[in-house]
Amino acid sequence: MNKLKVYEYNQIKSLIKKLLNVYRTNDMTSHKSHKEYILNDIKNVFEANDMDSSEFISELDDIKISKKKTELLLEKLKADVEDFELPSKKEVDKLFKKVKKLNVPDLDQVDTKTTVFLAWNDLSANRKYFVFKNRDNEYEGMFGELSVNKIKGFCKICNQESQVSLFLNKSKTSGMGNYTKKGDYICHDSDVCNRNLEDINHLYDFIEHVK
Ligand SMILES: [Zn+2]
């Protein structure tokens, strides 16, 4: 059975939010074209996975739909979302072989329906760790310094406004043992980031950028 990726589910969630805003505007002429445009975008997300959206769309095609009803629809849609494939503890250890005292969170506690990438903060070392499936569908790991300071700003990964912190990755510039630090502001709490991220390429771009 075909399923939606977690980030595609996030796309649909954000499109529904836009739809509700359109339903609440009074300008009926722009309302209709906006509505069609958004419903079509939602349909495209389903169709990209050869999934039928007709039932879902017909429920949404209702100016009187309540926020509560859309939340229920989204909850129901979770059955059609592909779980994030969790690595084993052993696989994670292997990705960070050189790290001493690696604190891996309890992987059983991860909500695989809201996870695009795995990331956790190690506050004792001021670090954030990332584990994700790369474009070749292989696990990749990366870590860097995470500032304890949180500010309101835009996250380089999910592109949404949230509580962000400066993340810095040490990268080797030459064979002479020289390092530079590259980084950007990202969501301090990666659970928030995972629920916001609508395009996995933004994660890949960020990883490339700080490497
Ligand atoms: Zn983010």
Side-chain angles (χ1 to χ4, degrees):
M1 201 182 105
N2 294 332
K3 294 207 165 188
L4 299 164
K5 300 275 193 291
V6 175
Y7 58 89
E8 290 172 324
Y9 177 83
N10 292 344
Q11 273 175 40
I12 293 172
K13 197 169 63 180
S14 121
L15 285 163
I16 288 178
K17 202 173 152 194
K18 279 187 196 155
L19 185 68
L20 286 174
N21 284 335
V22 167
Y23 284 160
R24 279 175 199 136
T25 60
N26 295 317
D27 182 356
M28 291 313 280
T29 30
S30 74
H31 163 238
K32 195 174 181 326
S33 60
H34 272 150
K35 183 199 79 171
E36 304 275 311
Y37 191 77
I38 294 168
L39 289 179
N40 197 49
D41 278 355
I42 295 174
K43 193 172 154 217
N44 287 339
V45 181
F46 280 86
E47 281 185 353
N49 296 287
D50 289 323
M51 290 167 72
D52 179 31
S53 61
S54 47
E55 205 185 314
F56 193 75
I57 298 286
S58 74
E59 297 258 32
L60 290 174
D61 194 359
D62 170 11
I63 193 167
K64 291 193 198 80
I65 196 168
S66 64
K67 187 165 183 260
K68 182 88 195 150
K69 178 76 194 286
T70 61
E71 282 164 1
L72 288 172
L73 285 171
L74 280 166
E75 202 48 48
K76 220 175 107 190
L77 187 63
K78 276 195 177 169
D80 295 322
V81 174
E82 193 179 294
D83 289 271
F84 176 76
E85 218 181 301
L86 279 174
S88 65
K89 167 89 170 53
K90 218 172 156 185
E91 283 173 303
V92 175
D93 286 341
K94 223 176 118 190
L95 294 171
F96 302 108
K97 267 186 291 201
K98 288 179 188 157
V99 176
K100 288 172 207 152
K101 288 190 199 163
L102 181 70
N103 289 319
V104 182
D106 185 357
L107 297 171
D108 292 335
Q109 299 297 314
V110 175
D111 180 355
T112 53
K113 295 276 189 194
T114 58
T115 301
V116 182
F117 60 91
L118 203 61
W120 67 92
N121 300 344
D122 183 346
L123 297 174
S124 64
N126 291 337
R127 274 180 185 171
K128 188 188 271 294
Y129 289 84
F130 287 88
V131 172
F132 56 95
K133 283 277 188 96
N134 64 20
R135 291 185 208 268
D136 297 323
N137 206 34
E138 287 162 350
Y139 289 116
E140 220 177 278
M142 190 197 60
F143 70 91
E145 270 172 45
L146 184 72
S147 165
V148 288
N149 298 320
K150 286 182 250 180
I151 56 164
K152 201 173 176 186
F154 281 89
C155 165
K156 193 73 187 177
I157 300 174
C158 66
N159 296 327
Q160 299 290 312
E161 195 173 26
S162 75
Q163 292 292 320
V164 294
S165 295
L166 184 61
F167 172 88
L168 287 172
N169 181 40
K170 226 192 218 181
S171 54
K172 221 175 187 169
T173 48
S174 71
M176 305 293 284
N178 295 326
Y179 288 96
T180 52
K181 282 180 178 176
K182 286 194 220 167
D184 230 313
Y185 285 88
I186 55 172
C187 290
H188 190 88
D189 180 351
S190 292
D191 286 347
V192 173
C193 206
N194 266 292
R195 279 191 281 265
N196 284 338
L197 185 58
E198 293 177 31
D199 185 347
I200 198 162
N201 289 310
H202 295 160
L203 172 73
Y204 297 148
D205 290 346
F206 171 77
I207 300 286
E208 282 302 313
H209 168 67
V210 298
K211 251 184 191 170

